[in-house]
Amino acid sequence: MEMGIVAGRVTATRKDDNLVGTKLLITQPIDLNGAPLNAQPIITVDTVGAGIGEKVIFVRGSMASRSMSNKDSPVDAAIVGIIDSLEYEDLKG
Amino acid sequence: MEMGIVAGRVTATRKDDNLVGTKLLITQPIDLNGAPLNAQPIITVDTVGAGIGEKVIFVRGSMASRSMSNKDSPVDAAIVGIIDSLEYEDLKG
Amino acid sequence: MEMGIVAGRVTATRKDDNLVGTKLLITQPIDLNGAPLNAQPIITVDTVGAGIGEKVIFVRGSMASRSMSNKDSPVDAAIVGIIDSLEYEDLKG
Amino acid sequence: MEMGIVAGRVTATRKDDNLVGTKLLITQPIDLNGAPLNAQPIITVDTVGAGIGEKVIFVRGSMASRSMSNKDSPVDAAIVGIIDSLEYEDLKG
Amino acid sequence: MEMGIVAGRVTATRKDDNLVGTKLLITQPIDLNGAPLNAQPIITVDTVGAGIGEKVIFVRGSMASRSMSNKDSPVDAAIVGIIDSLEYEDLKG
């Protein structure tokens, strides 16, 4: 999984039937210190109630669909947790 | 998921049986401002009726097949929504 | 999906039982103009009868196995169509 | 699979129901000599009892969920082994 | 699939139950001429009897598990063939 910060929201009226009712959030990947990485923000589904500005854990790929009540949803990125805290040693020094 | 803009169309007469009747669109990845990223355009299937020049949400990997009525289609990229609007804060400043 | 040009062939006598009889082609990723990208060629299975020099559509990841009659084949890249023509606008200018 | 070193731990109280009780470790990818790669640390689940500072084997993508007793867990990275030793020849010289 | 050369072996006593008895080889990605690419070696399972120094075909992602007799093995890379020969045209010139 990766860390990100919720940066916004996307509205799409015409969409796949299995995405109807889905909350689509723009998530910016961040490093362990919370700083934005030089990586494109991605569009994630959210089922844990994340809000703008919150630091989250997100999952990529087919397992993202496991977070949905509708397992047929064509999604490849999902917020699966909201980060309380991190403890780590920066091994890259 | 990622954002893109529909840039064209591919015609392929000889193809996998499970792709017959499929609409294959060329989609250019874009950033949050709608500007083309320095990334190769990809070939996406479309089941939401996207047209050339429209900004779309696309999904990569095996979940792309979930957007197809034929779940056996060998596809790894699919347009799953047409973007109406975005609200976001640019965290990369 | 991505575009490529068939550049060669691989022979492997000792291989996974589920790959026996499979045609393994070397495919070079190309851009929309047909020029080779600065990306490694990959080994793709082929079930659509592609020949050396033909421009093809290929799929990556687990969905590549859907193109095989033997769905248990351990393959992560497959040619799924032969390109007749493209119509597109180069948005990167 | 890839090699990494366990660098820390993430706490997330609000999370996907299928992640409750899961141990979330921060893993830094390393090279064959054990030196940190210039790659972002990732968040991995752990079911083999890895501790901070241990060198581990981790798997990415949907197969990471196979390491979980709950196969519905939305995870895309998992520690699946703790490295005792390596024997290899550095082919990049 | 990609090409690699087997460069070594990893020993891990503590590991996922579904990996017990698995042969874990270090595989260095190579180009069509057999020269090591500037890419990290990866850890692959082997079920075709590859030995150190042999040129192999490997598969990444969830399909790697299809090469295992135990389909629940959490693996994301597997050697699926040993290369006898290649015939190709270098399109990158």
Side-chain angles (χ1 to χ4, degrees):
Chain A
M1 286 69 75
E2 296 169 55
M3 289 175 47
I5 188 165
V6 180
R9 182 182 287 263
V10 180
T11 307
T13 310
R14 286 158 63 196
K15 56 179 174 260
D16 188 281
D17 287 347
N18 286 317
L19 289 178
V20 171
T22 301
K23 188 172 149 199
L24 297 171
L25 296 181
I26 299 168
T27 299
Q28 171 63 47
I30 57 176
D31 66 18
L32 294 178
N33 298 313
L37 291 170
N38 187 19
Q40 276 303 305
I42 61 166
I43 301 173
T44 51
V45 294
D46 171 45
T47 60
V48 296
I52 305 289
E54 279 190 301
K55 288 179 188 164
V56 297
I57 299 171
F58 65 91
V59 58
R60 291 191 195 250
S62 61
M63 299 314 290
S65 67
R66 299 290 177 94
S67 71
M68 308 286 284
S69 51
N70 181 342
K71 307 295 182 200
D72 275 331
S73 299
V75 301
D76 63 7
I79 293 171
V80 295
I82 295 171
I83 296 172
D84 295 324
S85 62
L86 300 180
E87 293 167 69
Y88 68 97
E89 186 181 355
D90 187 348
L91 296 166
K92 291 197 284 184
Chain B
M1 286 71 74
E2 296 169 54
M3 290 175 47
I5 188 164
V6 180
R9 182 182 287 262
V10 180
T11 307
T13 310
R14 285 158 62 198
K15 56 178 174 261
D16 187 281
D17 288 347
N18 287 316
L19 289 177
V20 171
T22 301
K23 187 172 151 200
L24 297 171
L25 296 181
I26 298 168
T27 299
Q28 170 63 48
I30 57 177
D31 67 17
L32 294 177
N33 298 314
L37 291 171
N38 186 19
Q40 276 302 305
I42 62 166
I43 301 174
T44 51
V45 294
D46 171 46
T47 60
V48 296
I52 305 288
E54 278 191 301
K55 287 178 189 164
V56 297
I57 300 171
F58 66 92
V59 59
R60 292 191 195 250
S62 60
M63 300 314 291
S65 66
R66 299 289 177 94
S67 70
M68 308 286 284
S69 51
N70 181 342
K71 306 295 181 199
D72 274 330
S73 299
V75 302
D76 64 7
I79 293 172
V80 295
I82 296 171
I83 296 172
D84 294 325
S85 62
L86 299 180
E87 294 168 68
Y88 68 97
E89 186 181 355
D90 186 349
L91 296 167
K92 292 196 285 184
Chain C
M1 284 70 74
E2 296 169 54
M3 290 176 47
I5 188 165
V6 180
R9 182 182 288 261
V10 180
T11 307
T13 310
R14 285 158 63 198
K15 56 179 175 255
D16 188 281
D17 287 346
N18 288 316
L19 289 178
V20 171
T22 301
K23 188 171 149 200
L24 297 172
L25 297 181
I26 298 169
T27 299
Q28 171 63 49
I30 57 176
D31 67 17
L32 294 177
N33 298 314
L37 291 170
N38 186 19
Q40 276 303 304
I42 62 167
I43 301 174
T44 51
V45 295
D46 171 45
T47 61
V48 297
I52 305 288
E54 278 190 301
K55 287 179 188 163
V56 297
I57 299 171
F58 65 92
V59 59
R60 291 192 196 250
S62 61
M63 301 314 290
S65 67
R66 299 291 177 94
S67 70
M68 308 287 284
S69 51
N70 181 343
K71 307 293 182 199
D72 274 331
S73 300
V75 302
D76 64 6
I79 293 172
V80 295
I82 295 170
I83 297 172
D84 294 326
S85 62
L86 300 180
E87 295 168 67
Y88 68 97
E89 185 181 355
D90 186 348
L91 296 166
K92 291 197 285 185
Chain D
M1 285 70 74
E2 296 170 55
M3 290 174 48
I5 188 164
V6 179
R9 182 183 287 264
V10 181
T11 307
T13 310
R14 286 157 64 197
K15 57 178 174 258
D16 188 282
D17 288 346
N18 287 316
L19 289 177
V20 171
T22 302
K23 187 171 149 200
L24 297 171
L25 296 181
I26 299 169
T27 299
Q28 171 63 48
I30 57 177
D31 67 17
L32 294 177
N33 299 314
L37 291 171
N38 187 19
Q40 276 303 303
I42 61 166
I43 301 174
T44 51
V45 295
D46 171 45
T47 61
V48 297
I52 305 290
E54 280 191 301
K55 288 180 186 163
V56 297
I57 300 172
F58 65 92
V59 59
R60 290 191 196 252
S62 61
M63 299 314 289
S65 67
R66 299 289 177 96
S67 71
M68 308 287 283
S69 51
N70 181 343
K71 307 294 182 200
D72 274 331
S73 299
V75 302
D76 64 6
I79 293 172
V80 295
I82 295 171
I83 297 172
D84 294 324
S85 62
L86 300 180
E87 294 167 67
Y88 68 97
E89 187 181 355
D90 186 349
L91 296 166
K92 291 196 285 184
Chain E
M1 285 70 74
E2 296 169 55
M3 289 174 48
I5 187 164
V6 180
R9 181 183 288 262
V10 180
T11 307
T13 310
R14 285 157 64 197
K15 56 179 176 258
D16 188 282
D17 288 346
N18 287 316
L19 289 178
V20 171
T22 301
K23 187 171 150 200
L24 296 172
L25 297 181
I26 298 169
T27 299
Q28 171 63 49
I30 57 176
D31 67 16
L32 294 177
N33 298 314
L37 290 170
N38 186 19
Q40 276 303 304
I42 62 166
I43 301 173
T44 51
V45 294
D46 171 45
T47 61
V48 297
I52 306 288
E54 279 191 302
K55 287 179 187 164
V56 297
I57 299 171
F58 65 93
V59 59
R60 290 190 195 251
S62 61
M63 300 314 289
S65 67
R66 299 289 177 94
S67 71
M68 307 287 283
S69 51
N70 181 343
K71 307 294 182 199
D72 274 331
S73 299
V75 301
D76 64 6
I79 293 172
V80 295
I82 295 171
I83 296 172
D84 295 325
S85 63
L86 300 180
E87 295 167 66
Y88 68 96
E89 185 181 356
D90 186 349
L91 296 166
K92 291 197 284 183

